[in-house]
Amino acid sequence: MSKEENKLQHLAVIMDGNGRWAQKRGLPRSMGHRKGAEVVKEITRAAAELGIRYLTLYAFSTENWKRSKDEVDTLMGLLREYLKSDLKEIQEKNVRIRFIGERDMLAGDIVEKMAQIEADTANNTDMTLCIALSYGSRQEIVSAVRKTAALVKSGDISINDIDVELFSDMLYTQNMPDPDLVIRTSGERRISNYLLWQIAYSEFYFSDILWPDFTKEALENIIKDFNQRERRYGKA
Ligand code: IPE
Ligand code: IPE
Ligand code: MG
């Protein structure tokens, strides 16, 4: 598939099924997460090649903190490895990295590294890779309500200034277009607290493939399906 064939500007993915992938092979769940992290790199590369401008990946939800300490430690370890890995390819591909989510839940060294990567890639313009980490959409909306209320209280805005655009700017995803398509892998058909505000008019694709088995080819087939869809936004 060429860049011209792809009509997708913003792709959001719920990368699900790492645990089941490992369990099917008699491996510990951690091995599924490890393979899943490799697929993150492959799919980021594929998205850049396809000319996708925004790729938002659900890496860890606020609810995922409820998993066992062992599993959370594994995921945080993989995250550290990813953050400390060579960013040469990201820079060469002109990719900007952004993180969305509740940073105060994360360890200090991770938060520092995230800020550094965001600063180092801030001027890259071909693609934005947005990583949802310790992310929960309801929490994001509540935090946006707080920011908006503070602006009213300080007198910077009046209540009548609050509209869809202003409120969108209070979310972690400020200045990003809404996702055109949300893909969830692993056969689950739910949203799990992901981008609730932003997906108002997104298309959905639920794939049975487990995330560690997901490929560029699978992505291209889903984009072909997306390209056939008619989006009406309420119009006749
Ligand atoms: C997705 O895979 C990764 C995270 C949620 C961090 P899961 O770990 O949810 O895998 P399953 O759903 O148990 O197979
Ligand atoms: C959603 O997957 C979160 C991520 C993929 C990071 P989960 O596996 O945590 O979602 P539920 O619990 O099945 O809804
Ligand atoms: Mg899951």
Side-chain angles (χ1 to χ4, degrees), residues 65-79:
W65 289 112
K66 293 183 209 152
R67 295 191 180 189
S68 73
K69 183 177 181 304
D70 251 22
E71 183 159 352
V72 170
D73 285 350
T74 298
L75 287 163
M76 292 301 142
L78 283 167
L79 174 62

Side-chain angles (χ1 to χ4, degrees), residues 193-230:
N193 206 11
Y194 195 41
L195 304 172
L196 299 177
W197 170 277
Q198 297 87 341
I199 60 177
Y201 264 102
S202 301
E203 298 289 323
F204 288 86
Y205 194 103
F206 296 101
S207 163
D208 288 334
I209 302 173
L210 301 173
W211 177 252
D213 289 327
F214 200 70
T215 58
K216 181 180 184 188
E217 194 188 13
L219 175 61
E220 288 181 348
N221 285 332
I222 294 171
I223 294 176
K224 279 181 199 148
D225 179 283
F226 168 82
N227 284 345
Q228 305 294 318
R229 298 188 191 187
E230 186 198 352

Side-chain angles (χ1 to χ4, degrees), residues 45-59:
R45 201 174 291 132
E49 284 163 12
L50 291 165
I52 291 172
R53 301 298 308 273
Y54 297 86
L55 174 65
T56 300
L57 301 177
Y58 206 1

Side-chain angles (χ1 to χ4, degrees), residues 14-23 29 32-33 36 58-61 64 67 71 75 184-186 188 190 210-212:
I14 304 176
M15 311 181 289
D16 199 11
N18 292 352
R20 277 164 284 165
W21 182 90
Q23 272 154 3
R29 292 176 61 84
H33 294 313
Y58 206 1
F60 193 87
S61 73
N64 289 148
R67 295 191 180 189
E71 183 159 352
L75 287 163
R184 184 171 187 146
T185 60
S186 87
E188 306 295 355
R190 54 179 170 264
L210 301 173
W211 177 252

Side-chain angles (χ1 to χ4, degrees), residues 15-212:
M15 311 181 289
D16 199 11
N18 292 352
R20 277 164 284 165
W21 182 90
Q23 272 154 3
K24 259 179 36 184
R25 288 166 175 73
L27 298 168
R29 292 176 61 84
S30 59
M31 294 304 289
H33 294 313
R34 186 161 282 283
K35 180 75 187 6
E38 284 169 25
V39 175
V40 166
K41 292 197 170 172
E42 279 170 39
I43 295 302
T44 303
R45 201 174 291 132
E49 284 163 12
L50 291 165
I52 291 172
R53 301 298 308 273
Y54 297 86
L55 174 65
T56 300
L57 301 177
Y58 206 1
F60 193 87
S61 73
T62 43
E63 289 73 27
N64 289 148
W65 289 112
K66 293 183 209 152
R67 295 191 180 189
S68 73
K69 183 177 181 304
D70 251 22
E71 183 159 352
V72 170
D73 285 350
T74 298
L75 287 163
M76 292 301 142
L78 283 167
L79 174 62
R80 272 197 186 83
E81 266 181 48
Y82 180 82
L83 296 176
K84 289 176 186 166
S85 68
D86 192 2
L87 287 181
K88 216 172 91 200
E89 192 183 344
I90 291 282
Q91 295 289 14
E92 276 169 10
K93 292 219 153 75
N94 197 20
V95 175
R96 176 180 179 179
I97 297 189
R98 270 175 81 157
F99 296 95
I100 56 172
E102 313 274 304
R103 296 194 191 200
D104 49 7
M105 307 277 288
L106 295 159
D109 68 307
I110 289 183
V111 177
E112 255 174 54
K113 199 72 204 166
M114 284 160 61
Q116 190 198 320
I117 290 173
E118 284 182 325
D120 288 349
T121 62
N123 297 319
N124 294 350
T125 50
D126 276 2
M127 183 174 98
T128 296
L129 170 62
C130 177
I131 303 178
L133 204 59
S134 188
Y135 174 87
S137 185
R138 286 183 166 178
Q139 292 81 346
E140 175 185 39
I141 291 168
V142 168
S143 119
V145 169
R146 288 203 181 123
K147 280 189 225 167
T148 310
L151 288 177
V152 172
K153 196 176 173 201
S154 63
D156 289 315
I157 60 167
S158 76
I159 286 182
N160 289 327
D161 291 329
I162 303 172
D163 58 13
V164 167
E165 279 71 38
L166 182 136
F167 192 74
S168 296
D169 272 349
M170 299 294 143
L171 297 166
Y172 298 138
T173 50
Q174 58 178 208
N175 300 324
M176 290 192 15
D178 290 337
D180 299 297
L181 174 68
V182 180
I183 298 175
R184 184 171 187 146
T185 60
S186 87
E188 306 295 355
R189 285 161 173 78
R190 54 179 170 264
I191 294 303
S192 303
N193 206 11
Y194 195 41
L195 304 172
L196 299 177
W197 170 277
Q198 297 87 341
I199 60 177
Y201 264 102
S202 301
E203 298 289 323
F204 288 86
Y205 194 103
F206 296 101
S207 163
D208 288 334
I209 302 173
L210 301 173
W211 177 252

